[in-house]
Amino acid sequence: MRYSKLSQSIKSSLIAGSILTTGFSQLAVAEEAGAEGKVERIEVTGSRIKRIAMEGASPVTTVTAEDIKVAGITRVEDMLNDMPAVFAGQTSGTANGVTGTATVDLRNLGPERTLVLLNGRRLPAGSPSAGGIGADLNQIPAGLVKRVDVLTGGSSATYGSDAVAGVVNFILKDDFEGFQFEYQGSLYQHNNDHGDMQRAVNESGFALPDSNVSDGQADDFTVIVGANSADGRGNVTAYATFREIEAITQDSRDYSACAMNINDEGVRECGGSGTIPEGRIIAGDANLIMDGHTFKDYDGTLYNYGPLNYFQRPDKRKTFGLLGHYDLSDNHTFYTEMSYMDNRTVAQIAPSGSFFRTIDLACNNPLLSDQQVQKLCTDQGFGADHVFSGDNAALAVKRNVEGGPRQDDRRHTSTRFVFGVRGEINDYWTYDAYMNFGEVAYVQTYDNDLSIQRITRSLDAVRNDDGNIVCKSVVDGSDPNCVPWNIFNRDQITQDQLDYLIVPLYSRGETKNKQISGFVSGDLTDYGVVVPGASTGVGIVLGLEHRREFISLRPDQNFLSGDGAGQGGPTTGVTGEYDVDEFFMELNVPVIEDTSYVDYVTLELGYRYSDYSTDKQTDTYKFAVDTRISEDFGFRASYQRAVRAGNVRELFRPAGMNLFNWDEDPCGPGKTLTLEQCQRTGLPAGQYGAAILDNPAGQYNTVEGGNPALEPEESDTVSFGLLYSPSFVEGLDITLDYFDITVEKAIQSIPAATIHDKCAKGVDELCGLINRGSGRGDLWIGTSAITATDTNIGSVKTSGIDINTSYNYSLNDMGNLRFALIGTYLEKYEIENIPGDRPDDCAGYWDRAVCEVPAPKVRANLVTTWSTPWDTNITATVRHYGKVDEYTVVDNTVVNGPTTLNGKTYFDLAATWNATDHLTFRAGIKNLFDVTPPLVPNGPSGDANGNTYPGQYDALGRYLFAGFTFTM
């Protein structure tokens, strides 16, 4: 039979001997009887999708080095985001809300629940900044990757509780001998032919890009050098990489040339921000716009903030590293990994300004012209001595286009060291022990933002004793450097005024990870620990681990005080750490082998006990069964319990002001809530339906932060799968796996929009989290905000079906065809923000406030490779991303909102040519037919950018690449 006793020995020793060092790479140690009956160990490595998927109780997908090269990948996250089980985390298309890192998110459960490993060992948290807790994939040198294994069934008992959604394990080349140089160049090409968006842009008077654009060039260099020791007992592999990526701004695409909205008639139009270059003053009943040195009534003019935003951030990355191992004896090997990464990227968004800042504005302010005094004061019945102040303070609005766009310059420098020893104790026992140290240093410089304090001072102008116009703070001595900012006549704005107003903001920080782990593994066959009916004994792993996680973020005073006008509030510092001591064990128990009715039945059992320094103890365990009925048919099933304690950011970061996305305030002009409901949220009755409640940019204030009182969240993962390799179709393998993941007491914040809605509809305990601030009742000006700090919400549940199919077909003299289909059907993705409340099921939906990123029910990739007899491989890929409707709730019933994001199908084509024994060329095109991404109105900042979701969709057009590899 195909699955013999030798196969069982391989599987048993696999679990026992290598589960922690190589993850789920299927590296096995087999026991084979020699001529004298002596047992010898051999290693067997499976790296194809079907070999990985067809063995073991957990579904695993593997991407090889060849797959990466064929796809033209220079950013590892781009490759992962194409996989059906992966949702986009931080990507190069993130501008507003950027961390400067790249993360992976399995099953849409968040990077904090997806464990990233390098050669089976942990990476440090990617960044101390908000949203940066996930491992930074920039630390992975793509040119050195041997393969990437993605386990989507959860693996918390094996690796730790943060593997709730699964594990992504990058395996690097560690036995290279010789010299290798690789180069790849790439760029985007797009034909701007979106007629409807071009109409909207033209009607708004904005500029359109050229009809044909090529941009975003990237250059990627990799050098690998490896050598074996003179005695043949060791190897050292060293590498260096350099990558540089050029920026793309949103004005280069017609569908992102303006911030898109959809009006009440369902027609696209250009929207934007009410903070405009011309300048505005809102005081009393007057809403005025500057017209030269005069006022006129505000006419609804909006600022097109999109064109300057980066659609692709510029990026420079350098990595260096060393992997080595040396056989100290026939049975003991020392190994090490050393790596360095320096990555610098810049996020650019629209200029800063006075974003509806409250100021004391006197009618006798000398910066005002006579006409402006008449319009602002006299026409409202105010005399020359009147001052708009207190609850009746004026709102100053002015976009600082004179000072240029805001730039968020972020740099991460990481170092990592691994030292370990592994080997054989005797014929039945092996061991592995290592120390893993990782550190990320973080530097942020935020340029071209304005100071709120200086805005206030610069607009409070008076005449001094000499009759010159100066700041009041100059006269009273509180700020002798103040320069009046003449927003009342933008032609008189000078560089001196900008130099005073613009303040740089700085932040520094670091993350550290220490992991000390050791285990022994054994094959208990010769000890007689064998289940009756099986010939192979129990495999066992026993181990101990100690981990320490540390984070520190140190913003400067301008960040801490919230003085940056374009920051949305203070950036709070955080310092925290915890230790955890863990015991873990794994058992691989062959139950039945080689019978007339079943080839084998194997149990996989795991347990991990964790003791945290935060006075939390958790138990994580798994039960799994792997069954092969015959050569054709198999079955696997597993249950896993994970208990995840809060990470360092979730526990320790202080509360601070931030922004959340909202289409509109439901108490504003749209009035989707009643007056009584709005009053529950703190709205003054007289402001019901007031225009000031709506922010034209769709961004509102929220207070976010950690919570040291968090309870550990508990998750249950159930999966079962069918494996079919029909003997009557040679080369066909099919797997179907069902998954169901439930996270109870999930650690995350309740969305601010949900807090508002539930308060309005009677959940009184949430109403205290809403601060509508001043008499205006808004939630986006000044300190008005909804508090949404981390807590233990009700639950998050997701379930669905994965399909993984491959087929090899021989063309005889014409080579070989290989087909691979990987897909996911998402049955549900439910979020229960309040225990016992109706959950929001986001499967098949998107929106700005609750579901956020698109979660299509169907995602699939079909890859066809023709291995020709002419040393050339040609690969065609079809990628499908299903449609999603806008999530809308009416009378407690979910209905499809006005905007549906239609499904998209992309075609990719690539080829590799082994020109000589030393030289290989490759080239290809992704998104061959230049498919335009689906467009979202008033796209939420952070996840969305350029009126679409660039992490989910091909947002920039065709991606063309070409490269070569020279080896000697």
Side-chain angles (χ1 to χ4, degrees):
M1 286 189 173
R2 186 186 304 177
Y3 293 89
S4 62
K5 294 180 180 179
L6 172 60
S7 174
Q8 285 305 294
S9 296
I10 293 173
K11 291 171 65 61
S12 177
S13 297
L14 157 66
I15 299 300
S18 62
I19 191 75
L20 291 177
T21 50
T22 60
F24 38 81
S25 63
Q26 302 294 317
L27 178 62
V29 181
E31 294 184 347
E32 185 178 78
E36 299 178 356
K38 182 179 179 180
V39 174
E40 298 179 359
R41 301 184 192 279
I42 62 172
E43 289 188 351
V44 179
T45 302
S47 60
R48 299 271 183 191
I49 290 177
K50 71 164 189 172
R51 291 299 104 209
I52 294 296
M54 299 298 287
E55 295 183 15
S58 297
V60 178
T61 298
T62 290
V63 180
T64 67
E66 290 73 21
D67 297 329
I68 296 172
K69 288 182 171 58
V70 164
I73 295 301
T74 60
R75 292 181 296 241
V76 173
E77 68 271 21
D78 293 344
M79 171 195 67
L80 294 174
N81 289 339
D82 284 341
M83 301 181 70
V86 175
F87 286 73
Q90 284 279 327
T91 71
S92 62
T94 307
N96 201 351
V98 68
T99 65
T101 64
T103 58
V104 59
D105 178 359
L106 285 173
R107 304 291 191 205
N108 204 19
L109 292 176
E112 69 276 11
R113 299 189 184 103
T114 300
L115 182 59
V116 177
L117 304 175
L118 183 61
N119 292 329
R121 291 172 284 271
R122 289 171 174 263
L123 292 172
S127 177
S129 64
I133 200 67
D136 186 3
L137 301 184
N138 283 307
Q139 299 178 63
I140 310 295
L144 202 71
V145 172
K146 182 189 296 184
R147 70 176 186 276
V148 186
D149 296 331
V150 181
L151 183 149
T152 55
S155 193
S156 294
T158 302
Y159 295 107
S161 61
D162 42 357
V164 171
V167 176
V168 180
N169 190 14
F170 293 86
I171 309 297
L172 302 185
K173 303 170 185 175
D174 63 352
D175 55 358
F176 185 81
E177 186 176 13
F179 171 82
Q180 179 174 297
F181 174 78
E182 288 189 347
Y183 167 76
Q184 180 172 292
S186 60
L187 55 81
Y188 290 94
Q189 186 276 327
H190 175 67
N191 296 321
N192 284 303
D193 55 6
H194 198 296
D196 197 36
M197 279 302 300
Q198 291 188 7
R199 172 200 54 78
V201 173
N202 279 323
E203 289 178 355
S204 298
F206 300 143
L208 278 170
D210 294 338
S211 60
N212 186 313
V213 292
S214 298
D215 50 19
Q217 180 175 336
D219 296 289
D220 200 357
F221 303 85
T222 300
V223 175
I224 305 174
V225 180
N228 291 330
S229 62
D231 58 8
R233 301 172 69 92
N235 176 273
V236 174
T237 300
Y239 66 89
T241 74
F242 176 76
R243 182 188 72 192
E244 183 170 12
I245 301 173
E246 293 182 351
I248 299 176
T249 50
Q250 291 177 17
D251 59 359
S252 64
R253 304 294 188 270
D254 52 14
Y255 49 80
S256 59
C258 74
M260 186 196 78
N261 281 331
I262 295 179
N263 63 24
D264 294 339
E265 287 74 40
V267 177
R268 285 191 178 98
E269 61 183 12
C270 287
S273 168
T275 305
I276 56 178
E278 292 83 355
R280 295 170 56 189
I281 289 293
I282 301 171
D285 294 327
N287 187 351
L288 308 172
I289 183 175
M290 313 301 172
D291 184 14
H293 203 187
T294 63
F295 279 143
K296 64 179 181 179
D297 291 336
Y298 178 59
D299 56 5
T301 298
L302 297 175
Y303 172 69
N304 183 17
Y305 56 79
L308 289 174
N309 289 14
Y310 280 153
F311 221 158
Q312 172 177 275
R313 299 193 315 274
D315 179 277
K316 286 186 179 181
R317 189 197 69 173
K318 301 184 289 288
T319 68
F320 307 95
L322 179 76
L323 298 94
H325 58 85
Y326 186 79
D327 295 337
L328 302 173
S329 68
D330 290 342
N331 296 324
H332 306 284
T333 300
F334 169 80
Y335 60 91
T336 186
E337 299 172 18
M338 303 178 186
S339 63
Y340 169 88
M341 183 276 295
D342 180 77
N343 186 73
R344 185 175 184 180
T345 187
V346 177
Q348 179 172 290
I349 59 176
S352 183
S354 177
F355 296 99
F356 291 79
R357 290 297 164 193
T358 56
I359 62 169
D360 291 345
L361 181 61
C363 290
N364 60 7
N365 187 305
L367 293 175
L368 293 170
S369 68
D370 292 341
Q371 187 273 347
Q372 289 174 329
V373 172
Q374 176 74 31
K375 188 78 172 173
L376 176 67
C377 299
T378 307
D379 289 353
Q380 294 195 79
F382 298 122
D385 295 332
H386 180 76
V387 179
F388 295 97
S389 62
D391 288 342
N392 297 311
L395 297 178
V397 186
K398 171 71 172 76
R399 178 75 61 169
N400 180 35
V401 294
E402 297 82 6
R406 286 167 283 175
Q407 290 196 325
D408 189 358
D409 186 334
R410 298 192 181 219
R411 185 173 187 173
H412 293 86
T413 303
S414 70
T415 53
R416 181 172 176 268
F417 302 94
V418 175
F419 305 98
V421 180
R422 59 176 176 251
E424 298 180 0
I425 300 171
N426 55 34
D427 286 342
Y428 314 109
W429 290 91
T430 63
Y431 72 94
D432 193 345
Y434 61 87
M435 296 182 292
N436 173 20
F437 303 95
E439 181 175 352
V440 175
Y442 168 74
V443 176
Q444 178 188 13
T445 303
Y446 201 101
D447 292 321
N448 282 352
D449 204 358
L450 303 188
S451 162
I452 294 174
Q453 185 181 65
R454 294 185 181 188
I455 289 173
T456 303
R457 291 173 176 173
S458 68
L459 293 176
D460 191 5
V462 296
R463 292 190 183 275
N464 63 12
D465 293 340
D466 296 328
N468 297 319
I469 299 176
V470 297
C471 300
K472 184 178 179 181
S473 59
V474 171
V475 175
D476 63 24
S478 59
D479 184 359
N481 298 315
C482 180
V483 178
W485 186 26
N486 194 358
I487 67 169
F488 306 99
N489 186 355
R490 60 182 298 195
D491 291 337
Q492 294 185 9
I493 293 178
T494 65
Q495 189 60 47
D496 287 345
Q497 296 173 28
L498 300 179
D499 290 343
Y500 170 73
L501 291 167
I502 295 173
V503 294
L505 299 94
Y506 302 100
S507 186
R508 303 291 184 267
E510 60 187 347
T511 70
K512 294 181 180 179
N513 166 266
K514 178 177 70 174
Q515 180 186 16
I516 302 174
S517 184
F519 68 91
V520 293
S521 60
D523 180 353
L524 304 182
T525 303
D526 283 9
Y527 295 91
V529 185
V530 181
V531 175
S535 60
T536 305
V538 173
I540 185 170
V541 170
L542 297 171
L544 297 172
E545 182 168 306
H546 170 79
R547 282 192 296 117
R548 176 176 178 263
E549 303 283 348
F550 171 82
I551 188 172
S552 175
L553 181 66
R554 302 178 298 279
D556 72 350
Q557 187 57 39
N558 289 330
F559 265 131
L560 288 170
S561 65
D563 193 45
Q567 299 302 305
T571 297
T572 55
V574 56
T575 299
E577 65 178 312
Y578 68 78
D579 292 33
V580 56
D581 294 308
E582 300 181 300
F583 162 77
F584 56 88
M585 67 177 298
E586 298 235 358
L587 293 174
N588 181 267
V589 185
V591 178
I592 302 174
E593 294 178 300
D594 292 336
T595 69
S596 59
Y597 57 89
V598 64
D599 279 2
Y600 68 78
V601 177
T602 302
L603 294 180
E604 297 178 12
L605 309 175
Y607 173 75
R608 177 177 289 253
Y609 171 77
S610 304
D611 184 6
Y612 291 85
S613 59
T614 54
D615 198 29
K616 306 293 183 184
Q617 293 80 38
T618 64
D619 298 282
T620 300
Y621 47 86
K622 75 169 182 178
F623 303 93
V625 60
D626 183 19
T627 302
R628 174 62 62 166
I629 304 299
S630 66
E631 292 184 355
D632 292 359
F633 184 72
F635 172 81
R636 60 190 177 195
S638 67
Y639 166 77
Q640 303 197 48
R641 161 59 64 96
V643 183
R644 187 182 77 89
N647 60 47
V648 282
R649 279 199 64 86
E650 292 166 336
L651 291 171
F652 302 120
R653 79 185 191 278
M657 193 78 79
N658 214 314
L659 299 174
F660 73 97
N661 302 300
W662 218 7
D663 285 327
E664 61 183 9
D665 189 323
C667 299
K671 296 182 181 178
T672 57
L673 294 174
T674 67
L675 171 60
E676 181 183 3
Q677 289 172 329
C678 290
Q679 286 181 301
R680 288 197 192 108
T681 72
L683 182 75
Q687 288 299 101
Y688 182 58
I692 194 64
L693 301 185
D694 279 350
N695 182 350
Q699 293 182 325
Y700 297 79
N701 294 338
T702 180
V703 176
E704 298 178 343
N707 181 357
L710 288 172
E711 292 294 321
E713 63 182 25
E714 300 174 353
S715 68
D716 293 308
T717 299
V718 176
S719 67
F720 54 86
L722 303 177
L723 305 89
Y724 187 44
S725 302
S727 56
F728 58 86
V729 183
E730 184 68 27
L732 176 63
D733 291 320
I734 302 172
T735 68
L736 286 173
D737 286 283
Y738 173 80
F739 65 89
D740 187 299
I741 304 173
T742 299
V743 184
E744 300 284 357
K745 298 190 296 184
I747 297 173
Q748 57 193 61
S749 62
I750 302 174
T754 299
I755 291 173
H756 185 276
D757 182 69
K758 298 301 180 183
C759 163
K761 295 176 180 177
V763 184
D764 293 337
E765 59 266 30
L766 296 179
C767 295
L769 302 175
I770 303 173
N771 172 27
R772 284 192 173 269
S774 68
R776 291 183 301 272
D778 62 87
L779 285 168
W780 60 284
I781 298 173
T783 59
S784 301
I786 298 176
T787 298
T789 53
D790 288 339
T791 187
N792 291 104
I793 69 166
S795 64
V796 178
K797 301 178 181 180
T798 184
S799 63
I801 298 173
D802 293 329
I803 183 172
N804 193 334
T805 301
S806 65
Y807 176 56
N808 288 293
Y809 181 73
S810 175
L811 299 175
N812 299 320
D813 293 342
M814 294 300 292
N816 183 72
L817 279 178
R818 181 175 183 273
F819 304 91
L821 172 65
I822 304 174
T824 295
Y825 171 76
L826 183 64
E827 177 188 36
K828 70 179 178 183
Y829 182 76
E830 292 183 351
I831 306 170
E832 184 188 68
N833 283 298
I834 301 171
D837 196 15
R838 178 191 61 81
D840 297 296
D841 188 352
C842 294
Y845 289 101
W846 77 280
D847 81 332
R848 290 173 54 82
V850 179
C851 298
E852 298 181 333
V853 300
K857 289 197 170 185
V858 177
R859 292 178 64 183
N861 297 339
L862 174 63
V863 182
T864 303
T865 299
W866 177 25
S867 299
T868 76
W870 308 293
D871 296 319
T872 300
N873 292 337
I874 300 173
T875 299
T877 302
V878 181
R879 296 176 286 123
H880 178 71
Y881 202 94
K883 82 174 184 69
V884 286
D885 295 304
E886 186 173 0
Y887 188 82
T888 306
V889 178
V890 178
D891 295 330
N892 212 36
T893 301
V894 178
V895 299
N896 294 341
T899 304
T900 293
L901 308 184
N902 291 325
K904 295 294 178 180
T905 301
Y906 303 100
F907 294 85
D908 309 332
L909 190 63
T912 61
W913 175 42
N914 298 322
T916 70
D917 291 341
H918 304 287
L919 187 61
T920 299
F921 294 96
R922 61 186 175 275
I925 304 175
K926 290 189 67 178
N927 190 8
L928 180 64
F929 299 111
D930 193 16
V931 176
T932 300
L935 304 183
V936 297
N938 201 9
S941 62
D943 297 313
N945 192 25
N947 300 321
T948 189
Y949 288 90
Q952 282 77 10
Y953 301 100
D954 288 24
L956 298 172
R958 295 183 182 91
Y959 174 73
L960 299 88
F961 67 91
F964 68 88
T965 300
F966 174 73
T967 305
M968 59 179 295

